[in-house]
Amino acid sequence: MYDFAPRGDQPKPELYADLTSAAKALVQGEPDGVANMANVAALIWQFLPELNWAGFYRNIADELVLGPFVGKPACIRIPLGRGVCGTAAASGETQVVPDVHAFPGHIACDADSRSELVVPVIRDGKVVAVIDLDSPIANRFDREDAEGIETLAGIIASSI
Ligand code: SME
């Protein structure tokens, strides 16, 4: 059993420090990428409030393919450059989208989603996956969330 217990009232820097150290401990010594992505998606879900989807898309032969996640069933394949995830994967840059309805080409997987954060996971200079977080609250994600998930992505990049 793993018993990571976010306090719920932590300032974001502390929350992300706890999330990333929990993730580091979970993936340490485990070579199976699917198991690691599944546990990290579950950790994100446990630590971060106000999410309706949290998980991975993997870059397979230059197409994003759904990976482990928590939330409703989602689109399985996303071409690079399409939607928020495809844009993050093609550019290698984090996308913070305060209002998904205003993002050209946003792919609606869950009608509840109002804002979104997508962070590329980069290994050996290549985007191997993206971490996608959706929220039913508009403007849910800020620079601190982006930086927290970017740090997490760096920590797990060699374990997925
Ligand atoms: N909204 C995403 C698609 C993935 S789902 O949100 C899980 C996008 O536009 O890339």
Side-chain angles (χ1 to χ4, degrees):
M1 185 181 86
Y2 295 105
D3 200 6
F4 300 110
R7 265 206 341 259
D9 59 349
Q10 288 162 291
K12 281 185 186 177
E14 252 180 55
L15 182 67
Y16 280 105
D18 287 355
L19 169 60
T20 48
S21 69
K24 206 178 202 165
L26 265 181
V27 303
Q28 181 122 40
E30 174 49 63
D32 191 278
V34 172
N36 287 333
M37 285 185 278
N39 260 341
V40 170
L43 261 192
I44 291 171
W45 187 263
Q46 191 187 356
F47 272 72
L48 302 186
E50 298 170 332
L51 301 183
N52 60 308
W53 204 91
F56 289 84
Y57 279 90
R58 298 154 303 138
N59 186 358
I60 297 177
D62 284 335
E63 182 178 41
L64 291 179
V65 183
L66 184 64
F69 68 94
V70 183
K72 289 184 183 166
C75 328
I76 299 169
R77 291 175 186 271
I78 299 176
L80 287 192
R82 282 269 333 272
V84 187
C85 292
T87 301
S91 64
E93 282 172 15
T94 293
Q95 305 292 310
V96 181
V97 181
D99 175 4
V100 295
H101 300 309
F103 189 94
H106 166 254
I107 301 163
C109 289
D110 181 343
D112 285 343
S113 299
R114 290 296 314 283
S115 58
E116 186 160 353
L117 168 63
V118 182
V119 173
V121 182
I122 297 167
R123 186 169 65 225
D124 300 329
K126 189 179 179 302
V127 177
V128 291
V130 298
I131 299 174
D132 180 18
L133 307 186
D134 285 24
S135 172
I137 319 280
N139 207 12
R140 157 70 180 79
F141 305 104
D142 60 17
R143 249 346 284 173
E144 282 187 320
D145 294 294
E147 282 164 17
I149 298 298
E150 282 166 356
T151 304
L152 174 67
I155 282 170
I156 62 164
S158 58
S159 304
I160 68 167

